[in-house]
């Protein structure tokens, strides 16, 4: 599943693992969350669409009041659940690379280039946000309490962000 993996330990003892995750499909879904089609789509996914801002699961991330990013499900399946309801289903698989950063120092690495509060009281497992990380637009999703973060970034920025994450993990701690 992972196409690249590397362990990085910083001088300050920040141990993190960085790898690229191959995601079968990424589909952008737009539908009114109160429409019965949203319930049908949730049934097709096996989990309801998250309606709490900036939350998600392994299958679906909330991106806006009527927008979700769905993983591993075909467009056809989502279109069938959408039916004739106004909305859209678009395959965006080529739009983002998925990097995974995990380990005890992962949050500290991300905090060096991200303006949102990543402290567990504000951003814990199941949270996601569209934000800037090291000047690159990303979707950031905390998967678990390890912590493990999935970072979705445009392919043209993936190499840059990969290098930035490695450099940030190995930089001396700031005091």
């Amino acid at each position: 599943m992972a196409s690249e993996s590397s362990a990085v330990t910083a001088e300050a003892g920040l141990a993190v693992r960085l790898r690229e995750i191959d995601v079968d499909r990424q589909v952008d879904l737009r539908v009114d969350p109160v429409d019965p089609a949203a319930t049908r789509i949730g049934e097709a996914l096996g989990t309801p669409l998250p309606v709490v801002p900036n939350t998600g699961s392994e299958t679906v991330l909330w991106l806006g009041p009527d927008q979700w990013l769905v993983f591993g499900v075909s467009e056809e399946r989502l279109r069938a659940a959408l039916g004739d309801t106004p909305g859209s289903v678009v395959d965006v698989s080529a739009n983002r690379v998925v990097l995974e950063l995990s380990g005890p120092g992962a949050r500290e690495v991300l905090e060096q280039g991200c303006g949102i509060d990543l402290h567990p009281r504000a951003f814990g497992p199941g949270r996601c946000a569209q934000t800037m990380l090291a000047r690159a637009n990303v979707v950031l999703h905390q998967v678990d309490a390890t912590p493990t973060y999935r970072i979705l970034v445009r392919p043209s920025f993936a190499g840059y962000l990969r290098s930035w994450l490695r450099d940030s993990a190995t930089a001396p701690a700031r005091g």
Side-chain angles (χ1 to χ4, degrees), residues 4 14 23 27 40 54 84 101 105 116 132 134 140 149 152:
E4 177 183 335
L14 299 179
V23 177
V27 178
R40 290 194 308 269
N54 299 319
D84 293 334
L101 185 70
I116 62 174
M132 299 290 287
L140 183 64
Y149 297 92
L152 292 81

Side-chain angles (χ1 to χ4, degrees), residues 8-18 100-116 118 132-134 140 147 149 151 161-174:
V8 180
T9 304
E11 293 174 25
L14 299 179
V16 297
R17 180 175 184 221
L18 175 63
E100 183 178 83
L101 185 70
S102 62
R107 179 169 54 98
E108 291 173 62
V109 169
L110 294 174
E111 287 174 334
Q112 294 178 55
C114 185
I116 62 174
L118 296 177
M132 299 290 287
L133 176 60
L140 183 64
Y149 297 92
I151 306 160
L161 193 57
R162 208 178 285 113
S163 294
W164 183 89
L165 289 164
R166 284 188 189 119
D167 289 349
S168 295
T170 56
R174 297 176 193 177

Side-chain angles (χ1 to χ4, degrees), residues 93-172:
S93 299
N95 193 34
R96 294 184 185 100
V97 170
V98 183
L99 303 176
E100 183 178 83
L101 185 70
S102 62
R107 179 169 54 98
E108 291 173 62
V109 169
L110 294 174
E111 287 174 334
Q112 294 178 55
C114 185
I116 62 174
D117 184 0
L118 296 177
H119 190 279
R121 73 177 171 267
F123 198 93
R127 300 291 296 188
C128 64
Q130 296 180 78
T131 188
M132 299 290 287
L133 176 60
R135 298 186 181 179
N137 288 312
V138 301
V139 175
L140 183 64
H141 175 221
Q142 185 173 345
V143 178
D144 61 33
T146 300
T148 301
Y149 297 92
R150 298 256 169 98
I151 306 160
L152 292 81
V153 62
R154 297 208 185 271
S156 58
F157 285 90
Y160 158 75
L161 193 57
R162 208 178 285 113
S163 294
W164 183 89
L165 289 164
R166 284 188 189 119
D167 289 349
S168 295
T170 56

